[in-house]
Amino acid sequence: MTVAADASLLNPVHLFMAADWVVKSVMIGLAVASIWSWAIIIDKAFRFVALKREADAFEKALSSGRSLEDIANQAGPNPTHALPRMLSIALNDWRETRRAGPLTDNQSHLLISRIDRSLDAVIAREGARIEHGLGVLSVVATASPFIGLFGTVWGIMNAFGAIAEAGNTNLTTVAPAIAEALFATAIGLAAAIPAYIAYNA
């Protein structure tokens, strides 16, 4: 086998162009899935960094000794971050209940239950918003290797058919077709591994 042939076996463009149309479709689908998952990974990375920075600032404000009312007022009437929004909701519920006068034990328990329900609703909404798109990573991580394997099996079947027609089992004849088929599995793994790591992270 010549040096040029060796180089072509490792050239992704050559492998893609020489592949069967089914294998090409699998490769294109896996490439799109990989790009989509990377877009989600990058978006989530920036979002989580921003959320952590805001959460650290909020916790620092709480530990500074300032009153909760001051911290809530500094956050504004409609805070974008969940933690100051939860504080504002709790304080508003407390103020509304206190306007009616001193609280009995039963009223205190009802107030705590109401605040808990309000905060749980905020947590659920925030969790759903943050986790939006993670399902795509899960699907890409689990399905991509099998889709790539399908492309490989299809390509190998075509390769064996071409070998049978040619009546030549020389390595020079077999290697390019097998390389094209295996390239689909490589793309599937390249799409699945980052998606799997990012989803678990």
Side-chain angles (χ1 to χ4, degrees), residues 169-186:
T169 58
N170 188 294
L171 184 60
T172 306
T173 305
V174 176
I178 300 299
E180 295 156 13
L182 292 175
F183 187 50
T185 295

Side-chain angles (χ1 to χ4, degrees), residues 28-42:
I28 292 171
L30 291 172
V32 171
S34 180
I35 293 169
W36 191 5
S37 64
W38 271 109
I40 293 172
I41 291 168
I42 294 169

Side-chain angles (χ1 to χ4, degrees), residues 155-174:
I156 289 175
M157 288 168 57
N158 285 339
F160 284 160
I163 291 167
E165 288 178 7
N168 185 359
T169 58
N170 188 294
L171 184 60
T172 306
T173 305
V174 176

Side-chain angles (χ1 to χ4, degrees), residues 45-57:
F46 281 107
R47 285 180 185 270
F48 279 121
V49 167
L51 287 172
K52 187 179 185 306
R53 184 171 58 247
E54 293 177 18
D56 290 343

Side-chain angles (χ1 to χ4, degrees), residues 19-24 26-27 30 144-163 177-188:
D20 176 74
W21 68 269
V22 174
V23 181
K24 282 182 181 177
V26 168
M27 291 178 182
L30 291 172
S144 292
F146 297 102
I147 296 172
L149 184 60
F150 165 75
T152 295
V153 171
W154 185 276
I156 289 175
M157 288 168 57
N158 285 339
F160 284 160
I163 291 167
I178 300 299
E180 295 156 13
L182 292 175
F183 187 50
T185 295
I187 296 177

Side-chain angles (χ1 to χ4, degrees), residues 74-133:
Q74 181 182 1
N78 296 306
T80 56
H81 196 275
L83 293 180
R85 188 161 67 247
M86 292 166 68
L87 175 61
S88 297
I89 290 171
L91 288 176
N92 288 337
D93 286 345
W94 181 79
R95 290 191 195 105
E96 289 177 8
T97 306
R98 285 301 302 266
R99 286 194 189 102
L103 300 179
T104 64
D105 288 342
N106 186 44
Q107 288 175 326
S108 297
H109 290 307
L110 291 174
L111 173 61
I112 292 172
S113 298
R114 189 172 72 180
I115 291 174
D116 281 341
R117 286 194 299 271
S118 299
L119 298 187
D120 286 342
V122 173
I123 291 170
R125 285 196 301 270
E126 189 70 14
R129 186 177 69 85
I130 292 173
E131 292 175 3
H132 179 70

